[in-house]
Amino acid sequence: MKTFSIRSALALTALTMSSWLSAQDVDAIAERVTEFTLDNGLHFIIIERPVAPVATFVTFVNVGGVDEPVNNTGVAHIFEHMAFKGSRNIGTRDWEAEQAALDKMDAAYQAWLEESYSTDPDESRLETLRQDFEQWQQEAGTFINSEEFSQLIEREGGVGLNAFTSADATGYFYSLPQNKAELWFYLEAERFREPVFREFYVEKDVIMEERRMRTDSNPQGRLLEEFLSVAYSAHPYRNPVVGWASDIAATTIADTQAFFETYYVPSNMTVAIAGDVDPQEMRALAETYLGRLPAAEHPPTVKTIEPPQRGERRFVIEEQSQPLFIAGYKTVAADHPDAAALEMLSTILSSGRTSRLYRRMVQDEQLALGVQALTGFPGSRYPSLFVTFAVPNAGVPLSDIERVLEEEIDKAKAGEIEQQELDRAVTNARAGVVRGLDSNMGLALNMAQAHAQLGSWQDAFTYLDDLEAVTLDDLQRVAQTYLVKQSRTVGSIQNAASASGSDRASDGGAGQ
């Protein structure tokens, strides 16, 4: 069954994406898509959507936390911050003087690091190097026109300037008036041809504060970080995207430059442009500006394979905070044939107020403030996790939370899910695709990601075919195959006074 169908209506320029989806014909979308690849390997997807005189631009880079080298976790996120600092032509009053100060600043920091890591650090030398570093950092700062890159975009009518870094990828995006498209090409070429690492250590302090707020000072952040580090023995999915604090501190400009040169190569980048644009004009601008990015060897992929888990793993964080429960099972990557069935299973279990877990745990038995099941955590390029997560109501033992979650998973294994539940999950998935693609941003981002990680932009649409093909037998089979105790990791946050007896997850929890 195809996913989108009414060709003639696509001629209407005001047609919305939701109409495209209900039409069910991916060929109709293809009529509005132009693809090309520059000689250097940079791939473009142009989506004509002339509903307003604006365009959204997405640069999707197939690199994330999973690709980072030892000692430099968090470097993908660090570089994302640097990509907004301008270039040799934007953001500086005197590039040559600034570069000299930056080089001396980084040399002083590297020397300080080496001394601090020695077995018997010389405190007086450390202080001298710290002063040298601060002197050159201050010197470099005198040449900076801070925020010039973003201010230039905003001054020309740009909106939504932002970026993200995940375990699997990094993305950059914003929208501009249609007649400002050339500005985007110029700025993108500037920041990705020869990036400048200005305000590098200032920005690392910002990132360190981000880590403190989202992880160190956040119970859920602490639980998730501990959970991944226990669930994975070898694969780099075990590392936090923000980075370990010591690695953030240790990462230098030289480290980040090396990371950029390895992974930010044209063949590892996809650009998607959606809006009121002329594909031929976009191609000409792409060749003029981004064709100058040098071709380079395609970056390495992760070679580490997570070994089979030898048995269930459990941990408890004891502290005075809101109790939390999490359990995860080893599953598959997004390109595996079972990925669609696992997604449908997670949707049936916890998506919306009619889902099994919400009705039982939140509505009927009032065990939890919230509950969720999801697949593809923390990423989906490589085999990942099917996760259940719950926030118990006051006074509810975590053993009750675990027991009910296991009972609902056992029902899936026993084949108790009904066809109407699967049909509703497929309908919800289709609605989710509609919402995600009913905008220039949704179109561009989803199609760029599909091309980069699945091989074709069409997979952003045809994945619905895979979901619709899932059967009740598939749901039962994947539950029996993957949601098993041997591949499970269970974690919790418990108040120290209550982390004992049958409610102590590390001692076996309920139903063991």
Side-chain angles (χ1 to χ4, degrees):
M1 175 178 172
K2 293 187 178 179
T3 324
F4 315 103
S5 102
I6 156 179
R7 296 182 184 219
S8 58
L10 282 172
L12 301 175
T13 59
L15 191 65
T16 64
M17 189 62 209
S18 59
S19 298
W20 291 13
L21 288 173
S22 62
Q24 299 185 331
D25 188 355
V26 73
D27 294 335
I29 301 291
E31 292 180 0
R32 295 289 181 176
V33 173
T34 300
E35 284 188 280
F36 57 87
T37 303
L38 301 182
D39 290 343
N40 59 14
L42 180 56
H43 191 77
F44 279 78
I45 304 168
I46 313 297
I47 310 111
E48 295 178 77
R49 192 168 183 263
V51 297
V54 297
T56 295
F57 302 83
V58 170
T59 299
F60 188 93
V61 190
N62 207 30
V63 61
V66 73
D67 301 291
E68 295 166 338
V70 174
N71 298 328
N72 294 136
T73 61
V75 69
H77 184 220
I78 291 172
F79 180 80
E80 177 217 304
H81 280 236
M82 290 296 98
F84 291 87
K85 295 300 180 180
S87 66
R88 299 183 179 195
N89 300 307
I90 301 168
T92 187
R93 296 184 179 91
D94 184 337
W95 165 242
E96 291 184 359
E98 182 188 1
Q99 182 180 38
L102 287 173
D103 290 343
K104 291 175 181 177
M105 176 189 73
D106 204 44
Y109 190 83
Q110 291 186 56
W112 178 86
L113 273 179
E114 289 304 314
E115 185 64 30
S116 68
Y117 291 150
S118 66
T119 55
D120 185 21
D122 184 328
E123 294 299 328
S124 63
R125 174 168 164 75
L126 283 173
E127 179 60 22
T128 298
L129 291 170
R130 185 187 64 80
Q131 290 178 3
D132 287 347
F133 163 75
E134 291 178 350
Q135 173 193 337
W136 290 114
Q137 181 171 245
Q138 185 175 4
E139 174 78 8
T142 63
F143 304 108
I144 294 173
N145 283 328
S146 189
E147 307 298 326
E148 185 177 8
F149 183 86
S150 57
Q151 288 169 358
L152 177 58
I153 293 168
E154 292 167 5
R155 188 167 63 246
E156 298 299 326
V159 295
L161 175 65
N162 214 329
F164 69 85
T165 305
S166 70
D168 284 343
T170 310
Y172 304 86
F173 46 88
Y174 58 95
S175 300
L176 279 168
Q178 173 250 22
N179 61 357
K180 300 293 182 180
E182 187 169 3
L183 175 65
W184 179 86
F185 282 94
Y186 166 72
L187 294 176
E188 213 70 353
E190 282 288 298
R191 67 170 166 177
F192 292 130
R193 189 170 67 246
E194 293 181 302
V196 171
F197 299 89
R198 58 175 56 99
E199 297 183 305
F200 182 83
Y201 293 100
V202 173
E203 207 63 33
K204 281 212 307 174
D205 289 342
V206 172
I207 291 169
M208 196 71 83
E209 181 60 27
E210 242 182 84
R211 182 191 157 78
R212 282 190 285 268
M213 290 177 59
R214 297 181 182 180
T215 302
D216 301 334
S217 301
N218 183 313
Q220 182 172 324
R222 292 193 295 274
L223 180 67
L224 290 176
E225 183 172 88
E226 190 72 18
F227 171 71
L228 288 174
S229 69
V230 173
Y232 286 98
S233 299
H235 196 272
Y237 272 161
R238 72 191 315 274
N239 294 319
V241 173
V242 73
W244 298 107
S246 59
D247 285 355
I248 298 171
T251 297
T252 65
I253 289 177
D255 295 328
T256 310
Q257 177 76 39
F259 178 82
F260 164 78
E261 291 175 355
T262 301
Y263 291 98
Y264 277 70
V265 300
S267 64
N268 204 41
M269 302 167 72
T270 301
V271 170
I273 303 171
D276 187 10
V277 293
D278 176 358
Q280 296 310 312
E281 180 188 3
M282 296 302 100
R283 181 164 194 155
L285 291 170
E287 290 173 345
T288 298
Y289 290 97
L290 293 171
R292 292 181 291 173
L293 297 179
E297 184 178 349
H298 195 72
T301 58
V302 174
K303 303 297 191 299
T304 301
I305 297 174
E306 179 69 12
Q309 194 165 314
R310 298 185 180 95
E312 184 183 61
R313 300 169 183 170
R314 287 180 170 260
F315 71 92
V316 173
I317 299 173
E318 296 184 9
E319 60 186 27
Q320 296 301 316
S321 70
Q322 165 69 54
L324 300 170
F325 177 88
I326 189 169
Y329 303 81
K330 299 281 177 55
T331 60
V332 298
D335 59 359
H336 191 280
D338 286 341
L342 287 163
E343 183 166 331
M344 285 294 90
L345 181 58
S346 71
T347 300
I348 290 165
L349 286 176
S350 80
S351 180
R353 294 176 178 271
T354 60
S355 65
R356 288 183 164 236
L357 293 178
Y358 184 90
R359 280 189 289 111
R360 181 174 179 186
M361 299 182 71
V362 178
Q363 184 175 299
D364 296 343
E365 299 183 23
Q366 298 184 352
L367 297 172
L369 290 167
V371 61
Q372 185 176 16
L374 69 153
T375 190
F377 180 77
S380 58
R381 278 169 57 194
Y382 302 98
S384 58
L385 299 169
F386 184 105
V387 172
T388 57
F389 176 83
V391 183
N393 275 318
V396 174
L398 289 177
S399 55
D400 285 356
I401 297 293
E402 181 173 0
R403 173 180 55 79
V404 172
L405 287 171
E406 286 188 10
E407 287 175 359
E408 292 303 319
I409 288 173
D410 286 344
K411 290 177 183 178
K413 292 178 180 179
E416 294 185 22
I417 293 175
E418 299 178 354
Q419 185 63 46
Q420 64 181 13
E421 294 179 276
L422 177 55
D423 293 342
R424 184 166 57 238
V426 171
T427 299
N428 289 340
R430 185 183 296 110
V433 171
V434 171
R435 288 191 297 270
L437 298 174
D438 193 17
S439 67
N440 288 342
M441 179 63 72
L443 273 171
L445 186 55
N446 279 281
M447 291 170 78
Q449 180 175 0
H451 169 82
Q453 298 187 341
L454 299 175
S456 169
W457 64 264
Q458 296 190 12
D459 287 312
F461 305 95
T462 57
Y463 186 56
L464 275 176
D465 293 350
D466 297 332
L467 299 182
E468 291 173 343
V470 171
T471 66
L472 294 179
D473 287 343
D474 291 330
L475 296 177
Q476 183 177 15
R477 176 180 54 78
V478 296
Q480 292 175 344
T481 301
Y482 300 107
L483 308 190
V484 296
K485 183 176 178 180
Q486 181 169 335
S487 71
R488 181 171 65 174
T489 299
V490 179
S492 64
I493 291 182
Q494 302 181 26
N495 290 323
S498 67
S500 60
S502 64
D503 196 35
R504 192 182 181 99
S506 61
D507 290 338
Q512 303 302 319

